[in-house]
Structures are given as C-alpha cells and as structure tokens.
Amino acid sequence: MLKNSAMGSLWICHFFLFLAMLSAAFVTTLGDDNASDSYSNWLLSIKSQLVDPLGALNNWSPMVPICSWNGLTCSLDHTHIIGLNLSGSGISGSIPIELTHLTSLQTLDLSSNSLNGSIPSEFGLLQNLRTLQLFSNYLSGPIPAEIGNLMKLQVLRIGDNFLTGEITPSIGNLSELEVLGLSYCHFNGSIPIEIGKLKNLVSLDLQMNSLGGLIPTEIQGCEKLQNFAASNNLLEGDVPSSMGSLASLQILNLANNSLSGTIPSSLSHLSNLQYLNFLGNKLSGEVPSELNSLSQLQKLDLSTNNLSGPINLVNSKLRSLQTLVLSDNSFTGNIPANFCFKGSILQQLFLARNKLSGRFPMELLNCSSIQQLDLSDNSFEGQLPTTLDQLENLTDLLLNNNSFMGSLPSEIGNISTLESLFLFHNMFTGKIPDEIGRLQRLKVIYLYDNQMSGPIPRELTNCTSLREIDFFGNHFSGPIPDTIGKLKDLVLLQLRQNDLWGPIPPSMGYCKSLQLLALADNKLSGSIPPTFSYLSELTLITLYNNSFQGPLPESLSLLKNLRIINFSHNKFTGSILPLTGSNSLNALDLTNNSFSGPIPSSLAMSRNLSRLRLAHNHLTGSIPSELGDLTELNFLDLSFNNLTGEVTPRLSKCTKIEHFLLSNNRLSGNMPSWLGSLQELGELDLSFNDFHGKVPSELGNCSKLLKLSLHHNNLSGEIPQEIGNLTSLNVLNLQSNNFSGLIPSTIQQCKKLYELRLSENLFTGEIPVELGELRELQVILDLGKNLLSGEIPSSLGNLMKLERLNLSFNNLHGQVPPSLGKLTSLHVVNISNNHLEGQIPSTFSEFPLNSFMKNDHLCGPPLVLCSESKGQDEVELSNKEVAAIIVAIVFTSTVICLVLLYIMARIWCNWRKVAISSAEGGTGDKKTRNGEYWNMNSFGFIPSPDKQSSESPTCIFNPKIDADAMENSLV
C-alpha cells in the first residue's frame, strides 16, 4: 500500500508538473492578457499615426498574432517584442511616442522612409536598445541628449536627415558603441572630444555636415577604429599626428575640408590602412616618403591641395596600390625612375594640373596594368613613344594641355582596349594614322587645338563605338569621309575651324544618335542633304562661316529637338520656315545669308527662344506680332533687312530682352514709348529707319542701357531730360535727325559715356559746360553741323581720354580754350566753319589745315603765325591811308587838268579868231588893244618846223609860261 501510495503520489506530482508545464506553455504563447492587450494597443496606436501608402502595416490587426505582424520580432518565449524593422516601407509621419513603451526593444530600424519631425527624447527610455537606425528620412532638430542613456547601444545610424545643432557630448557615454553614423545632415560645431571615450568604436561617419574646428587629438582613444570618414565639412588645423596610433585604421577620409599644414609622417604607422583621402584641403609641403611603407594601401588621393616638391611615392613599395590621385597640386620634376615595377597592379594614375615637366615618363610603360592615365595640364613635351602600346590594358589616355609635339605614333592603334583618347591642346602635327581604325572600343577622341593636318581618314569610321569626335581648331583638309554614316552611336561631331571642303556627305543623316553637329568655320559648300531629316536626336547644329547655298530642305521641319541653330555667314536662300519645326529652339542665328520672304510667325511656338538673329538678309513684311509671346527673348536682331511697318507693341511683353536691334530697315511710325518698360535693355539700335516724332521720356527708365543708337531717322523735338537717368550708357548716337533745342545738361549724369554723337541736327544754344564732366569720353565727341553758338567751354579740357573732337559747322565764336591743348589723346580735331579767333593751342599744330578753315581770325600753326597775321593787319591800315591820299591826289590833279584844258581851249579859240581875221583883212595891218601889239609868238605858238609856210600852226603847251603871261592872256 505504501508502495502504491508512493506510486500514486509520484503520479499526482507528475500530473501537476504536466499541468504546470501546459499552463506555462499556454502563457508563453498568448502571454499575459493585459500585457498582450497593452502591446496591441500601443502598436495599433503607432500604426494609426503613420501614413502607410504601401500597406506595410496591413497585417497589424487584432485578428493576427502580434508576433506575426510585419516588421516585429518577438523574443524566443514570445513574451516580449525585441525588434521592429520597417526599413524602406514607404511610411511617413512623425515618430510615434508610443514606441518608447516597447522597453524590450533591442533593434529599432525605421530607416529609408519619409518620417519627419524630431527624434523623441523619450528614446532614452529604451534601455535595451542595441541598434537604432533612423537614417535616410526627413527628421529634423538636434540629437536629444537622452540618447546618451542607451548604455547598451552598439549601432547608432541617424544620418541622411535634416538634423541640426551640435553633436551631443552625451554620445561619449555609449561605451558599447561600435558604429556611429551621422553623415549627410546639417550638424555644426566641432567634433566632441568625448568621442575619444568610445573604446569599442569601429566606424565613425561624420561626412557631409558643417562641422568645424580641429580634429580632437582625443580620437586616438578609439583604439579599435577602422573607418573614420569626416569628409565635406569645415574642419581646419593640422591633421593630428596622434592619428598614427590608430593601428586598426583601414579607411581615413578627410576630403574637402580646410585642413592645413603638412601630412604627418606618423601616418606611416597605419599598417592596415587601405584607403587614404585628403582631397580638397590646404595641405602643403612635400609628401613624406615614409608613406611608402603603407604596404596595404590600395587607394591614395591627395589631389587639390598645395603640395609641392617631387613625387616621393614609389609604386614598387606600395605594392597594393591600385589608385593614385595627385592632381591639382604643385608637384615638380618628373615621375621617379623606379616608380613602376613588373607585376604592378596600379590601375589609375592621375597627375593632372601640376607643374611636372620633361618628356613622356617612360617608367610608366612598366606599369602595364594601368587602365587610366591622366597627365593633362602639365608641361610635358617631346614626342610620344612608339612603345606606348606596352600599356596594353589602357582604357583612358589623357595627355591634353601639355606641349607634346610630333605626329601620333601609329602604334597607338595596337592598344585595343582604348576607349578615351584626350590629346587636345598640344602641338601635335601630321595626320591621323590610319591605324586608328583598329580601335574598335574607342568611344571618345579629342584632338582639338593642335596643328594636325591631312584628311580625316576613312578608317576612323571603322571605330563604330565612337560617340564623340572633336577635331576643332586644326588644319584638317579634304572632304568629310562619305562613310561617316557608319558611326551609328555618334553623339558629338565637332569639326569646326579646319580647312575641310566639299559637301556634307548624305550618309551623315544615318548617324541617328547625333545630338551636336558643329561644322562651322570651314570651306564646305553645297546644300544640306535631305537625309538630315533622320537626325531626330539633333539638338545643336552650327554651319556658320562656310559657303553653303540653296534653299533649305523642307524635311528639316521634322527635327523636333533642335535647340540651337547657327547657319550665319553662308549663301542660303529661300524661306527660313523649315527651321521652325522645333518648338524647343533656344537660339536661331541666320545672319548674313540671302533668306527672303516674311519672318514666320510660327517662331513664336518656341517659347524658350532667347536669341533670334536674322540680320543681313532680304526679309520683307512687318515684324510678326506673335514674336511678343517670346517672353524669354534676350537678343533680337532683325537689322539690315527690308522690314516695313511699325514695331508691334506686343514686343513690350519681352521684358527680358537685352539687345534690341532693328537698324537699316524701312520701319516707320513713332518711337514706341513702351520701350521704357524693358528694364533689362542694354542695347537699342533703331538707326537708319524712318522713325519720327519725339524720343519718349520713358526711355529714361532703361537704367541698364549701354548703347543707344537712333541716328539717321526723322526724329525731332528736344532730347528728353530723362536721358540723364541712363547712368550706365556707354554709346549715345543721335546724329542725322531733326533734333532741336538745347543739349540737355542732364547728360552729365551719364558718367560712363565713351562715345557721344549729336551731329547733323538743329541743336541751338551753347555747348553745355557740363559735358566736361564726361571724363570717360574716348571714341568721339561729335557736335558738328548744328546751330550751336557761344564759346567753346574750357571744361572740355577735362576730357583727357578723348580721341576725336568735332565742333565744325556751327556758330561758335571766341577763342579756342587753351585747356584743349592738354588733350594729349586727341588724334582728330575739327573746329572749322565757325567764327573762332585768336591763337589755337600749340599742341594742335600737327593737325591738318582743314581742321581750322573758315573761321574769322584763327592763327598759329598750321595756320599763319599770329605775328604775321598782326603785320598783315597793320599793312592793311596803311593801304587805306595811302588809298585816301591817292584819291585826294587824283582828285586834285583832275581839277588842275580840267582848268588847264579850259585855258588851252580859250587860247585856241582866240587864235582861231586871229587867224581868220588875217585871212580876211590883208597881211600887213597890225591891230592893237589898249595901245599894245599882239605878239602871237609870245604865247608859245610855234610853227611846225616842216610845215611853217603852208599848214596851220600846232599848239604846244609850254610849262615855262609864267603866271604873268597867263594872266595877261586872259585879259
């Protein structure tokens, strides 16, 4: 019985033990009802606060066991939630506070979502957290100091957010922390020295913030640190030599900061270092040769610093080195002779933009593993070695911007792996070797800015992988290969500025991937092939400065992606309509052709058009009003055409326009007042048209105007006073109009004027003295052919930069101011056809005579000397006196002669009476008067010696007859 009793008791014990185990199992599965309900309520509350467009939380439902809910991880006994991972679930909203009730959480991962708001300080209650990942969200605000309470935390990654403020020093309390990721935020301040307390820290990522100050030397306390990345911050000062004690360090990235000083040689102690990046700092001095001991180093980037001296790094010691970047420094000399070794694994060598010199470094040919070699922007010279093909793995060769010369070695065609060949801006000559056609992988060949010549080889078109060809600025001649169409992948073809001739091959239309085509500045001719309609990807085409002719094929209207077209300086004819098929045009330049017909209104469909240049053609009709819809227009040049009518007011909507050129047309009407609303206007040229009326005062609102040309129109009235508001004006040309009134004194406010032309108008009044304030006037001051009066203001002597001065054909008087003689820059002067007087400045003596002609009394070289001029004036005064005397003498003599003639006439008459009386009254009687005898001979009448007896006597005046005898004869 006792035995049975014992057996029964044992059975009962086992039974109760079974019940206890069953109960425990039941409790483990379901948990405490209250606890389960609490978890459920908290989680459902969390769900209700989140936006879940992808349905990541759809199975968070009371109908589903909690441990099966998406993202949740329960403990092994299913009594606690120890993990929540909703990474990349697309959820948004703020982080719910209810998460802090999940005190058993060990892992919380909400990364790569769209969460916003701040990190709750209540997270400090999650004492069991080992991993907290909130990176790649939109969180903002500072790191809560309570994070420092998570003593078990091993991983903290909260980067790639909008977090701000300083890094809380409480992070130093996280003694178990192994990974700290704070990159890609907006943290400022400095790196807290408490970081040095994190003895277990393996990875520290602080990249892409605004951290400044020094790198704390305390970082040497992170003895297990393998990855330290603090690139793209504002760190300054020296690189701490104490970092050389971080023996476990494998990655050190301090790129793009403001670190200065030299590279500490103590870094050579980092025997495990694989990646070292100091790109973009202010480090100086030489690279310590001790770095050659970093045998594990794979990638070294010291570019964009102020490092100098020779290159001390030797690849034969850095046996693990794969990438060496030393670009953008001031290294000198050449590459060390022992730089490379057989069996090297160096793949990338970038030495661009230094001061390296000498010939091509032959040492590099031993590094046959090199794939990318960049020696660009140095001072290397000489020819390329014919053994260049030893670099059998080369994919990218960049030798541009050096002084290499000679021809390209044909052996370059043996480097079958070559994909990119950059040889531009050197002094290479000769032709492209035909062997280039072997490079089946070649994608890019840039030979521009060299002196190469010869034809473009047909073999080049065998490189069917080519995407970019740039031969700009050489002397290539001959035609474009007619097999160019084989390059189906060609995107860029730049052949500008060569000596190519002949037509465009029709096969070019089969380069259907072509986007940029530049054939300008050659001697190409013919018409555009109709096959161009196949170039549906074309965005830019420039054909300017060639001899293309004929009408444009209508099929060009199918090119819907064209953005930039420049066909200027050719001989194209016909309509420009085929070029308006694209609604994406940004620039259209057809200057200097023979296009005719109207301007197509369909141009207005290209709403992004900023440059429209149609000058020097034969376009007719009016300016389409639809052009006013081109609100992005910056440059409009329609000059030198046959356009008529008025300027459409809809152009006032083109408020971004800077260059407005309509000269040399037949446009008419008033000058539009709405021009004053074009606030960005920098150049306005309406010259050589038929505009009339006044210049609108609103033009004074164009404060950015640099050039105003209104010459050769029929404008009238006064220049508005508002012209003085154009304080940026460089050129003002109003000549050959009908302007009248005074020259406004406000023009002195245009202090930047260097060219002022107001000639051939009707301006009156005096020359404003204020013009002397325009001290930047240089090209010309032209006031000729007006009605100006008064004296030349001496203030013009302030225009010390002036080269040409024209004041001719006015009514100026007075003297030439001596101050003008100080204008040493003058090389043309014209003050002719005025009323000026006095001496001209001696410095004007070298100007031609016609510069001063037709004035009243100007003197001095090149005119007569002023002393001679004075002498001439005195001679003229004496002559007047002499003339008066002569007149008096002549008058007196005339009177005397008349008296004498009268006397002689009376004597002759008396004689005739005596002669008649003798003939009639006999020969012997003598008559007396008053008892006197008349003695005929006494009056000087003497018979002619040869005819004394037979002819009448001759009357001879004897001046010796005394006065008494004359007086007696009158009695």
Side-chain angles (χ1 to χ4, degrees):
M1 183 179 289
L2 288 173
K3 183 178 179 181
N4 291 336
S5 174
M7 290 293 293
S9 298
L10 184 62
W11 183 86
I12 290 172
C13 289
H14 281 93
F15 176 75
F16 279 110
L17 182 60
F18 172 76
L19 290 177
M21 292 175 64
L22 184 63
S23 175
F26 180 78
V27 170
T28 301
T29 303
L30 298 178
D32 180 75
D33 288 341
N34 292 333
S36 178
D37 289 344
S38 296
Y39 274 130
S40 178
N41 291 335
W42 292 331
L43 291 171
L44 291 176
S45 177
I46 291 171
K47 175 182 178 180
S48 67
Q49 297 179 52
L50 297 173
V51 178
D52 181 23
L54 303 180
L57 306 178
N58 281 352
N59 72 339
W60 285 30
S61 167
M63 307 302 295
V64 178
I66 289 178
C67 292
S68 299
W69 289 10
N70 182 45
L72 291 183
T73 301
C74 293
S75 60
L76 292 176
D77 59 3
H78 285 206
T79 58
H80 302 289
I81 297 175
I82 61 173
L84 176 58
N85 186 349
L86 295 176
S87 176
S89 299
I91 58 175
S92 60
S94 300
I95 298 176
I97 300 297
E98 285 77 4
L99 281 171
T100 59
H101 293 296
L102 306 179
T103 54
S104 299
L105 276 179
Q106 298 177 18
T107 300
L108 177 58
D109 190 349
L110 302 178
S111 62
S112 301
N113 283 293
S114 299
L115 298 172
N116 53 36
S118 60
I119 299 174
S121 59
E122 289 81 359
F123 271 14
L125 300 174
L126 301 175
Q127 295 290 316
N128 292 303
L129 265 186
R130 289 172 172 80
T131 299
L132 175 58
Q133 302 199 109
L134 304 175
F135 64 87
S136 297
N137 278 286
Y138 298 97
L139 300 174
S140 57
I143 303 174
E146 288 79 2
I147 288 290
N149 298 333
L150 306 178
M151 304 302 294
K152 296 181 181 180
L153 200 63
Q154 298 174 356
V155 177
L156 175 60
R157 298 180 63 196
I158 55 177
D160 193 16
N161 277 289
F162 297 128
L163 299 173
T164 56
E166 298 186 5
I167 298 174
T168 175
S170 66
I171 281 181
N173 300 331
L174 306 178
S175 57
E176 301 297 320
L177 199 64
E178 297 177 2
V179 177
L180 177 57
L182 305 179
S183 61
Y184 292 88
C185 287
H186 302 288
F187 294 122
N188 53 29
S190 58
I191 300 174
I193 59 176
E194 289 79 5
I195 289 286
K197 298 179 181 180
L198 304 179
K199 305 295 184 182
N200 293 304
L201 196 63
V202 174
S203 178
L204 174 59
D205 191 353
L206 305 176
Q207 298 179 90
M208 293 296 297
N209 280 288
S210 298
L211 298 171
L214 307 177
I215 299 174
T217 57
E218 289 81 359
I219 202 169
Q220 63 184 319
C222 303
E223 299 171 353
K224 296 182 180 180
L225 195 61
Q226 298 178 14
N227 174 20
F228 178 33
S231 62
N232 295 284
N233 278 285
L234 304 172
L235 300 173
E236 55 189 9
D238 294 343
V239 177
S241 59
S242 60
M243 295 190 71
S245 64
L246 299 175
S248 300
L249 203 61
Q250 298 177 13
I251 297 174
L252 177 56
N253 185 358
L254 299 177
N256 294 316
N257 280 283
S258 295
L259 299 171
S260 56
T262 59
I263 299 174
S265 58
S266 61
L267 295 184
S268 61
H269 301 149
L270 303 178
S271 58
N272 292 305
L273 198 63
Q274 300 175 17
Y275 180 93
L276 177 58
N277 192 346
F278 286 152
L279 154 73
N281 280 281
K282 300 177 181 178
L283 300 173
S284 58
E286 296 186 7
V287 178
S289 58
E290 290 85 350
L291 294 188
N292 286 307
S293 64
L294 299 176
S295 58
Q296 300 298 314
L297 195 62
Q298 299 175 14
K299 298 182 185 298
L300 175 59
D301 191 344
L302 304 179
S303 61
T304 317
N305 279 283
N306 298 318
L307 299 170
S308 58
I311 297 175
N312 294 323
L313 299 171
V314 181
N315 183 226
S316 58
K317 294 183 179 180
L318 300 171
R319 291 183 173 271
S320 299
L321 196 63
Q322 299 176 17
T323 300
L324 177 59
V325 186
L326 302 178
S327 304
D328 296 286
N329 280 286
S330 297
F331 290 113
T332 55
N334 207 324
I335 294 174
N338 59 344
F339 183 81
C340 281
F341 66 100
K342 295 294 183 181
S344 166
I345 61 172
L346 188 65
Q347 296 177 8
Q348 289 92 25
L349 178 59
F350 299 103
L351 304 177
R353 292 171 293 282
N354 278 285
K355 298 178 180 179
L356 301 172
S357 59
R359 292 183 172 272
F360 183 90
M362 302 296 289
E363 296 77 17
L364 295 181
L365 300 181
N366 293 325
C367 288
S368 59
S369 57
I370 290 182
Q371 298 176 8
Q372 296 173 304
L373 175 60
D374 187 356
L375 303 180
S376 62
D377 293 275
N378 280 285
S379 299
F380 290 112
E381 58 187 4
Q383 296 186 349
L384 296 185
T386 57
T387 54
L388 192 63
D389 55 351
Q390 291 183 28
L391 300 176
E392 57 189 11
N393 293 299
L394 199 62
T395 60
D396 301 282
L397 179 60
L398 294 85
L399 304 178
N400 51 282
N401 292 296
N402 279 285
S403 297
F404 289 115
M405 60 179 59
S407 57
L408 300 185
S410 59
E411 288 79 5
I412 202 169
N414 297 331
I415 309 176
S416 59
T417 55
L418 200 60
E419 296 180 5
S420 300
L421 183 58
F422 292 84
L423 303 179
F424 60 88
H425 208 281
N426 279 283
M427 294 186 288
F428 287 115
T429 56
K431 66 176 187 176
I432 301 173
D434 295 343
E435 289 79 2
I436 203 85
R438 300 176 187 169
L439 303 178
Q440 294 296 304
R441 297 184 183 180
L442 192 64
K443 296 179 181 178
V444 178
I445 178 169
Y446 281 5
L447 302 179
Y448 64 84
D449 283 334
N450 278 286
Q451 300 172 25
M452 302 187 72
S453 58
I456 298 174
R458 289 173 58 91
E459 288 78 5
L460 183 66
T461 62
N462 294 330
C463 304
T464 53
S465 297
L466 270 172
R467 293 178 53 83
E468 299 179 25
I469 297 176
D470 194 338
F471 294 167
F472 166 83
N474 279 280
H475 303 291
F476 292 118
S477 58
I480 300 172
D482 56 9
T483 54
I484 191 76
K486 294 166 62 176
L487 304 180
K488 306 294 185 184
D489 296 327
L490 196 62
V491 174
L492 165 67
L493 180 58
Q494 169 65 275
L495 303 178
R496 182 186 154 215
Q497 209 171 98
N498 280 283
D499 297 315
L500 299 172
W501 46 263
I504 298 175
S507 70
M508 189 178 289
Y510 301 116
C511 301
K512 295 186 178 180
S513 299
L514 201 58
Q515 296 179 17
L516 290 90
L517 175 61
L519 305 178
D521 292 310
N522 278 287
K523 300 174 183 177
L524 298 169
S525 58
S527 58
I528 296 178
T531 54
F532 265 37
S533 61
Y534 303 143
L535 302 177
S536 58
E537 301 297 318
L538 200 62
T539 61
L540 178 149
I541 178 171
T542 60
L543 306 179
Y544 59 88
N545 288 338
N546 278 289
S547 297
F548 292 115
Q549 59 188 10
L552 303 174
E554 294 183 5
S555 57
L556 289 183
S557 61
L558 300 175
L559 304 181
K560 302 297 184 182
N561 290 311
L562 276 174
R563 292 171 43 225
I564 297 176
I565 303 173
N566 192 338
F567 287 1
S568 63
H569 302 281
N570 278 285
K571 302 174 183 178
F572 288 114
T573 58
S575 173
I576 67 176
L577 190 62
L579 297 177
T580 64
S582 171
N583 294 339
S584 304
L585 283 178
N586 294 131
L588 176 62
D589 192 343
L590 306 179
T591 304
N592 197 16
N593 278 282
S594 296
F595 289 111
S596 58
I599 299 173
S601 59
S602 54
L603 278 173
M605 300 300 293
S606 295
R607 295 304 173 88
N608 292 320
L609 190 62
S610 61
R611 294 175 67 87
L612 179 58
R613 306 193 65 177
L614 306 178
H616 292 272
N617 279 286
H618 305 303
L619 300 174
T620 56
S622 59
I623 301 174
S625 60
E626 290 83 357
L627 296 188
D629 296 332
L630 300 175
T631 54
E632 298 297 317
L633 203 59
N634 170 272
F635 203 125
L636 177 62
D637 187 358
L638 306 179
S639 55
F640 291 91
N641 279 288
N642 294 314
L643 300 174
T644 56
E646 298 187 3
V647 180
T648 172
R650 284 179 65 177
L651 286 176
S652 62
K653 294 163 48 178
C654 303
T655 54
K656 295 183 180 180
I657 199 164
E658 297 179 16
H659 304 270
F660 196 1
L661 312 177
L662 303 179
S663 66
N664 291 271
N665 279 285
R666 292 185 289 156
L667 299 169
S668 58
N670 288 321
M671 189 173 166
S673 60
W674 50 260
L675 288 171
S677 65
L678 304 180
Q679 297 295 306
E680 301 299 318
L681 197 61
E683 182 181 12
L684 177 61
D685 191 349
L686 305 180
S687 60
F688 288 100
N689 278 288
D690 194 25
F691 290 108
H692 55 266
K694 296 184 177 181
V695 174
S697 59
E698 290 85 353
L699 199 62
N701 299 329
C702 301
S703 58
K704 296 183 180 180
L705 200 61
L706 301 176
K707 181 178 180 181
L708 177 59
S709 297
L710 306 178
H711 55 95
H712 292 89
N713 277 285
N714 289 313
L715 298 169
S716 58
E718 297 185 355
I719 300 176
Q721 296 290 327
E722 288 79 3
I723 201 77
N725 297 338
L726 305 179
T727 54
S728 298
L729 203 61
N730 297 147
V731 176
L732 177 59
N733 191 342
L734 305 180
Q735 69 184 48
S736 296
N737 278 285
N738 296 313
F739 290 114
S740 59
L742 305 178
I743 297 174
S745 60
T746 56
I747 206 168
Q748 67 170 317
Q749 297 165 207
C750 305
K751 302 290 187 184
K752 297 181 180 179
L753 268 178
Y754 65 80
E755 181 176 344
L756 177 58
R757 299 176 187 267
L758 303 179
S759 61
E760 299 182 55
N761 280 286
L762 303 172
F763 290 116
T764 56
E766 298 183 350
I767 299 174
V769 296
E770 291 83 0
L771 292 186
E773 299 297 320
L774 303 178
R775 298 176 187 268
E776 295 300 316
L777 269 181
Q778 178 176 349
V779 176
I780 193 170
L781 171 59
D782 188 356
L783 306 179
K785 295 185 179 180
N786 277 287
L787 303 174
L788 298 171
S789 58
E791 298 184 352
I792 300 174
S794 61
S795 62
L796 296 187
N798 298 329
L799 308 180
M800 298 303 295
K801 298 181 180 180
L802 195 63
E803 297 176 354
R804 290 184 288 172
L805 174 64
N806 183 11
L807 305 178
S808 63
F809 291 93
N810 278 288
N811 296 317
L812 302 173
H813 60 79
Q815 296 187 345
V816 179
S819 61
L820 294 188
K822 301 176 183 178
L823 302 182
T824 56
S825 295
L826 279 177
H827 56 76
V828 174
V829 171
N830 192 349
I831 56 174
S832 64
N833 293 275
N834 280 287
H835 304 294
L836 301 170
E837 60 185 19
Q839 183 171 355
I840 61 177
S842 59
T843 53
F844 284 7
S845 61
E846 296 182 358
F847 295 119
L849 188 64
N850 57 10
S851 297
F852 312 103
M853 296 295 289
K854 296 188 178 180
N855 278 285
D856 289 343
H857 302 296
L858 281 180
C859 63
L863 302 173
V864 297
L865 297 176
C866 291
S867 58
E868 295 177 1
S869 176
K870 183 177 180 181
Q872 288 177 354
D873 290 342
E874 292 176 355
V875 170
E876 288 179 6
L877 183 62
S878 299
N879 288 342
K880 289 180 181 178
E881 293 174 350
V882 170
I885 293 172
I886 291 174
V887 169
I889 292 173
V890 169
F891 177 76
T892 304
S893 300
T894 302
V895 171
I896 292 172
C897 288
L898 290 174
V899 170
L900 291 175
L901 288 174
Y902 175 75
I903 293 171
M904 290 171 63
R906 290 292 301 270
I907 293 172
W908 183 79
C909 290
N910 289 335
W911 179 80
R912 287 288 296 171
K913 289 180 180 179
V914 171
I916 295 171
S917 173
S918 297
E920 293 179 353
T923 58
D925 294 342
K926 293 183 179 179
K927 290 187 177 180
T928 63
R929 184 179 182 185
N930 297 328
E932 296 181 359
Y933 291 97
W934 287 26
N935 187 354
M936 300 299 297
N937 291 331
S938 67
F939 287 95
F941 287 91
I942 302 172
S944 175
D946 52 347
K947 296 183 180 180
Q948 290 181 6
S949 60
S950 60
E951 295 184 5
S952 299
T954 302
C955 295
I956 297 177
F957 175 66
N958 186 354
K960 294 182 179 181
I961 298 175
D962 56 35
D964 293 337
M966 290 182 65
E967 184 178 353
N968 291 333
S969 68
L970 295 174
V971 175

